[in-house]
Amino acid sequence: MARGAASLTGARRGLRNPWLLAHLRALRDGWSQLVANVLPTGVSVAVMAIAIGLPATLFALLDNQRALFSEWGSQPTLSVFLAHGSPEGEALRIAGEWRKQEQIDAVEVIFASKALAQFSAATGFSQGSDDAPNPLPNVLIVTPDPLTWNHRGDGELLKFLRAEPLVDSVLVDFEWIERLRSFSALAERGVWILGVTLLLTIVLVIGNTVRLLVQEQLAEIEVLKLVGATDAFVRRPFLYSGAIHGLLAGILAAAMLEVVFAVLAGPVADLASAYVSEFRLDSPGSGYLADLIALSATIGWLGAWLGTLRTLHQFEPVTE
Amino acid sequence: MIRFDNVSKVFPGGNEGLRNVSFSVEPGEFVFLTGHSGAGKSTLLRLIALLERASRGQVLVDGRNLARVETRDIPAHRRALGMIFQEHHLLARRSAFDNVAVPLWVSGIGPSEIRKRVRAALDKVSLLHKEHAIASTLSSGEQQRVGIARAVVNRPMMLLADEPTGNLDPTLSREIIGLFEQFNRVGVTVVIATHDTEVLRLHPRRTIELREGSVVSGAGES
Ligand SMILES: Nc1ncnc2c1ncn2[C@@H]1O[C@H](COP(=O)(O)OP(=O)(O)OP(=O)(O)O)[C@@H](O)[C@H]1O
Ligand SMILES: [Mg+2]
């Protein structure tokens, strides 16, 4: 009994679903088109893998950077300096009121007296006389709720804090993170544009590759149409060709991405620990890679569809 | 079954293939189409199979005006009839079996049925022993017979053959025409274009003669 490729032609018993069989046949034909054109196939698969792998890798890196921001940004704090000489009891009262606010996560109170003691201990300067006025104010360290915190830092929270009569000044000391954040938003948009552009390029690359395959089989296509093959039937092997292209390119792109992450992981970890950060470069999960491969195969299919579009109609009789 | 009413075909570029052709073929009839080279025999058959569309006039097949058949319905129309081409038109890199199986694949017929029908068709043209041979390795006459097997495998109601005996020796010619007669006996309408006078002499049937794109005799009642 014939096995392997021959079994797909319909000799195998049990495979009786004509629809399934037609697709298996088209799949096999699509595959053999690729095998018969190893070099051009290899080249366009490689081009496609790079064009898909590059934005995919950049996206995954951006995603990691987002994780980094949430490590930094999850505890943004505002230093609120109360007026000189305001009593410690008032500081506690204000802290208690602010803690009830929805837009505030936590309030830490640093009493002037304690700060001064720490300062003296650390520097060795003594205050000289106990009744000299304390030059340091009471300070409240406010942690805003990260969900409502306005990243531009000019939001309602600041207004609210300043509305308290005893507040002298508010210090927002993480503006550089905000700058970085907006820079990265820009970078993300750039990657999107790059990604879409490359995606269109891939569709054209695949379309062109498939068009060449079609040109090569013009005689066969004509025969098929002469005996009454539908466009769908004629097109199907080419679509499978394109999808296989995309599939292979997607797998290659996923592998490229994993390599990039593996290469970067070590240096990034070193860098992070130098800044006492827990940050680790995480390669994207298998879900991301599966999506990537599926997207790539879909694009291959789409490109092939475009590539077959024009040729198929040239065999139709024209009416004047 | 087939009816041409004042049909003309002008090709892009101005070549006139058919000029004001009218004739009819009844269901179950067996008709020869003859005429000199370039008379328009192939053009006439191609109009019936919707490989071309008429420039003027009406072509009716099985009561249907072909001008009204939309492009997307052409494949089904072609599958409903069996056409044998002057230039074989086989899939060169495929086996004889695959070539005959193509119309059945397109129709979505199951594999065991395909196998049965293809082998029966190949047997009819005495080519069962070449089932696995690649088409391009077959002789011209063998390729022609593969084309005939492909045309009959879908059990069409009508067979259109363009010079089916062009590359065959007299014995094989007679066999092939005999095969068409066999199909005709079970009700299949047969139209054979040929300028093989030997065939016409051996098989006296109604003969439509074309000259320079016009019917000169055998048009039948109209
Ligand atoms: N695609 C085409 N474009 C332009 N002219 C064509 C085309 N097909 C056929 N013709 C012209 O139409 C006329 C009839 O051609 P056709 O092929 O029908 O002749 P035929 O009777 O089949 O000849 P033969 O016996 O040589 O096969 C010829 O003059 C031919 O040049
Ligand atoms: Mg001809």
Side-chain angles (χ1 to χ4, degrees), chain A residues 258-286:
Chain A
E258 284 294 333
V259 168
V260 168
F261 271 80
V263 167
L264 288 182
V268 167
D270 290 347
L271 193 66
S273 62
Y275 284 90
V276 204
S277 167
E278 290 294 305
F279 178 73
R280 291 290 173 271
L281 198 60
D282 272 333
S283 82
S286 53

Side-chain angles (χ1 to χ4, degrees), chain B residues 4-33:
Chain B
F4 275 51
D5 283 332
N6 300 310
V7 173
S8 297
K9 175 67 188 175
V10 181
F11 288 101
N15 253 3
E16 221 176 10
L18 290 177
R19 191 183 305 161
N20 225 15
V21 168
S22 297
F23 69 90
S24 62
V25 175
E26 298 307 310
E29 236 190 315
F30 188 114
V31 176
F32 283 114
L33 190 60

